[in-house]
Amino acid sequence: MQRYFIDQALQPDQLFKITSEDAHHMKNVMRFRPEDTFHVVDQKQTTYLCEVAEVSQDIDCRAISPVDESPELPIEVTIYCPLLKGEKFDWMIQKATELGAHEFLIYEADRSIVRLDDKKRKKRLERFSKIVKEASEQSRRQVIPHIDFVPAVKNLDFDAYSRLLFAFEGNALNPAKSIQSAMSGVRHGSRIAFIFGPEGGFSEVETEQLSKHHSIRLGPRILRAETAPLYALSAISYSFETPASD
Amino acid sequence: MQRYFIDQALQPDQLFKITSEDAHHMKNVMRFRPEDTFHVVDQKQTTYLCEVAEVSQDIDCRAISPVDESPELPIEVTIYCPLLKGEKFDWMIQKATELGAHEFLIYEADRSIVRLDDKKRKKRLERFSKIVKEASEQSRRQVIPHIDFVPAVKNLDFDAYSRLLFAFEGNALNPAKSIQSAMSGVRHGSRIAFIFGPEGGFSEVETEQLSKHHSIRLGPRILRAETAPLYALSAISYSFETPASD
């Protein structure tokens, strides 16, 4: 069922308006008529079954009743990833949103190929925000991932996370663990972060700066920069969302 | 290290030639010189450390010694997927090759949006074969996935697989299982297949034809057609390749 996100809290039978781009989509793409139904995720991340009351400049809608669903990963996963060449970053964040990522933080990697000034970053963030919003609607999420630019590794603070997993094949000082063993003890409700390198990988300075964190293997094959986050999120979903017996 | 695939069996100290596109790549992209080393996967799927002996029209090479590695999934996974719009299919097979897929079989789905005549299929297969070969080299595989067109679901024979997993949310007759429970009892060395629908999903006729197989959920979010195979392969890698303790 079609889904939209709004910035207000709803309750059963409440009347509300949908405006601007979403109103345009409802009128001209979905061609909604009065009594057509759809889902709205409100400010409190509650999903409501709603119906169209009247279609005018805006769409007058009525919240019917809350929908019982839990589409969010039980662990909040932040993906640290530098910008990638071409459309790779666009589709990584689209897929990673489908796979349940909670946040994307774009850091300045020593070997980043793509570097943008503030004006370009602002425009890029607008496009990224549109991509993750649409992917959140399509994949039926209750949360639109947050996305922003952050500084280089040496200036990042990872204290907010119960674990930082560093996608790096490891070295003598910091042998890579399997993702399972690196995740052991992580509980539902935890916040964790994965940090991924650019196409050219992490610099020696970065691997030194990250060496106190768990370096992890994502299987025995070499994954491209844009593929690794999808593996990590799928593995988290597989191990925390789908019970071994049902 | 750079990797190439050749159609002959190698043994230590054997001299051999690399020709055509790979020779071009070695000369003009890698700019290899005598004594430069690289990996070659031979016809028996053994990886050898090799060195350049002489660069001429072709490249004269020497196999030094076999390399101990096991980059292949311990389960042979066939991905049944219809063609998808735009570049979605191209990048799905590229990513699924990185993630260890053994075979791609492109079936005619009732709701397939993309339909090609035999001439177009032949050209498309050439492109797909190039994509999976390059992804196999880049991800350091020992197997280049096989890819081909096959008929519609009603004419497919799944007897070769120890299990067929049907990516479908399920219905009263065939409630979807978690991928874990659908995989229970699958052992190393098994051949399994996943069948995925087109953008518009399976038709009722197809779900009926597939109803005797395990329908599986890939987490609680709705994944796009091109994302679902990547989740499935990541989950297989996570559960069969990375031990819980190491």
Side-chain angles (χ1 to χ4, degrees):
Chain A
M1 182 169 278
Q2 186 61 34
R3 166 172 304 228
Y4 301 99
F5 288 83
I6 63 168
D7 288 335
Q8 71 184 93
L10 293 177
Q11 54 195 30
D13 287 322
Q14 184 173 338
L15 300 173
F16 64 100
K17 279 184 190 296
I18 291 179
T19 63
S20 66
E21 280 188 9
D22 288 341
H24 171 83
H25 187 270
M26 294 173 81
K27 274 189 288 191
N28 304 316
V29 180
M30 301 303 293
R31 305 200 174 286
F32 276 136
R33 300 265 167 275
E35 295 182 14
D36 287 344
T37 56
F38 55 96
H39 283 157
V40 168
V41 180
D42 79 351
Q43 196 178 38
K44 294 177 177 166
Q45 294 167 13
T46 303
T47 307
Y48 276 83
L49 176 66
C50 299
E51 69 174 2
V52 174
E54 193 187 342
V55 176
S56 58
Q57 174 72 11
D58 301 334
I59 314 286
D60 295 311
C61 310
R62 187 173 74 85
I64 297 170
S65 57
V67 176
D68 180 24
E69 61 173 12
S70 53
E72 294 303 316
L73 275 179
I75 294 173
E76 286 190 5
V77 180
T78 295
I79 301 292
Y80 284 87
C81 185
L83 285 178
L84 303 171
K85 278 173 69 180
E87 295 184 328
K88 293 195 182 86
F89 195 87
D90 292 24
W91 79 247
M92 184 279 283
I93 60 173
Q94 181 191 65
K95 301 309 161 204
T97 298
E98 294 172 53
L99 293 167
H102 187 79
E103 182 176 50
F104 300 100
L105 296 175
I106 309 164
Y107 73 96
E108 278 284 340
D110 292 347
R111 294 183 184 159
S112 285
I113 297 165
V114 186
R115 298 187 184 275
L116 304 177
D117 59 32
D118 289 350
K119 183 157 172 260
K120 282 215 174 93
R121 285 182 166 194
K122 191 167 171 300
K123 286 192 80 68
R124 203 63 76 91
L125 265 191
E126 285 166 12
R127 189 172 90 221
F128 293 157
S129 300
K130 195 163 188 295
I131 290 168
V132 297
K133 176 177 177 289
E134 287 172 359
S136 299
E137 290 165 354
Q138 175 273 331
S139 58
R140 305 201 196 150
R141 299 228 6 213
Q142 288 179 310
V143 174
I144 300 173
H146 170 247
I147 183 161
D148 206 353
F149 285 90
V150 295
V153 166
K154 67 175 181 297
N155 300 317
L156 293 176
D157 173 7
F158 300 112
D159 293 349
Y161 308 104
S162 59
R163 205 150 304 177
L164 179 78
L165 303 174
F166 166 32
F168 172 59
E169 66 273 11
N171 55 35
L173 294 168
N174 187 9
K177 292 182 166 186
S178 71
I179 187 167
Q180 279 96 329
S181 55
M183 288 289 292
S184 68
V186 172
R187 301 270 165 269
H188 281 214
S190 303
R191 283 186 70 188
I192 68 168
F194 286 91
I195 184 161
F196 298 97
E199 292 89 342
F202 292 102
S203 70
E204 284 190 15
V205 172
E206 286 167 333
T207 57
E208 176 55 33
Q209 288 159 346
L210 290 165
S211 60
K212 71 172 186 293
H213 301 287
H214 294 280
S215 66
I216 51 160
R217 274 192 308 275
L218 300 170
R221 289 163 298 282
I222 306 303
L223 302 181
R224 285 187 167 87
E226 66 275 17
T227 313
L230 310 186
Y231 181 111
L233 287 160
S234 301
I236 299 287
S237 169
Y238 178 80
S239 67
F240 287 90
E241 293 192 310
T242 54
S245 68
D246 59 342
Chain B
M1 182 170 278
Q2 187 61 35
R3 167 171 304 229
Y4 301 98
F5 288 84
I6 62 169
D7 289 336
Q8 71 184 93
L10 293 177
Q11 53 195 29
D13 286 321
Q14 183 174 339
L15 299 174
F16 64 99
K17 280 184 190 296
I18 291 180
T19 61
S20 67
E21 280 188 10
D22 288 341
H24 171 82
H25 187 270
M26 294 173 80
K27 273 188 287 190
N28 304 315
V29 180
M30 301 303 295
R31 306 199 172 285
F32 275 136
R33 301 264 166 278
E35 296 183 17
D36 287 342
T37 57
F38 54 95
H39 283 156
V40 167
V41 180
D42 78 353
Q43 196 178 37
K44 293 178 176 164
Q45 294 167 13
T46 303
T47 306
Y48 276 83
L49 176 66
C50 298
E51 69 173 3
V52 174
E54 193 187 342
V55 176
S56 58
Q57 174 71 11
D58 300 334
I59 314 286
D60 295 310
C61 310
R62 187 173 73 85
I64 298 169
S65 57
V67 177
D68 180 23
E69 62 174 11
S70 53
E72 294 303 317
L73 275 179
I75 294 173
E76 286 190 5
V77 180
T78 295
I79 301 292
Y80 283 88
C81 184
L83 285 178
L84 303 172
K85 279 173 69 180
E87 294 184 329
K88 295 196 180 85
F89 194 86
D90 292 24
W91 78 247
M92 184 279 283
I93 60 173
Q94 181 192 64
K95 302 306 161 203
T97 298
E98 294 173 53
L99 293 166
H102 187 79
E103 182 175 50
F104 300 100
L105 296 174
I106 309 163
Y107 73 96
E108 278 285 339
D110 293 348
R111 295 183 184 159
S112 287
I113 297 165
V114 186
R115 297 186 184 277
L116 304 177
D117 59 32
D118 288 350
K119 184 158 171 258
K120 283 215 174 94
R121 285 183 166 194
K122 190 167 171 300
K123 286 193 80 66
R124 203 65 74 92
L125 265 191
E126 285 165 13
R127 190 172 88 221
F128 293 157
S129 300
K130 195 164 187 298
I131 290 168
V132 297
K133 176 178 177 289
E134 288 172 359
S136 300
E137 290 165 354
Q138 176 273 331
S139 58
R140 307 200 196 151
R141 300 241 350 226
Q142 287 178 310
V143 174
I144 300 173
H146 170 248
I147 183 161
D148 206 352
F149 285 90
V150 295
V153 166
K154 66 174 181 300
N155 301 318
L156 294 176
D157 173 5
F158 301 112
D159 294 350
Y161 307 105
S162 59
R163 205 150 306 177
L164 179 78
L165 303 174
F166 167 31
F168 172 59
E169 67 273 11
N171 56 34
L173 293 168
N174 187 9
K177 292 182 166 185
S178 70
I179 188 168
Q180 280 96 329
S181 54
M183 288 290 292
S184 69
V186 172
R187 301 267 165 271
H188 281 214
S190 304
R191 283 187 70 189
I192 67 168
F194 286 91
I195 183 161
F196 298 97
E199 291 89 341
F202 292 102
S203 69
E204 284 189 15
V205 173
E206 286 167 334
T207 57
E208 176 54 33
Q209 288 160 344
L210 291 164
S211 59
K212 70 171 187 292
H213 301 287
H214 294 280
S215 66
I216 51 160
R217 274 192 308 276
L218 300 170
R221 289 161 299 282
I222 306 302
L223 302 181
R224 285 189 166 87
E226 67 275 17
T227 313
L230 310 187
Y231 181 112
L233 287 159
S234 301
I236 299 286
S237 169
Y238 179 79
S239 67
F240 288 89
E241 293 191 311
T242 54
S245 68
D246 59 341

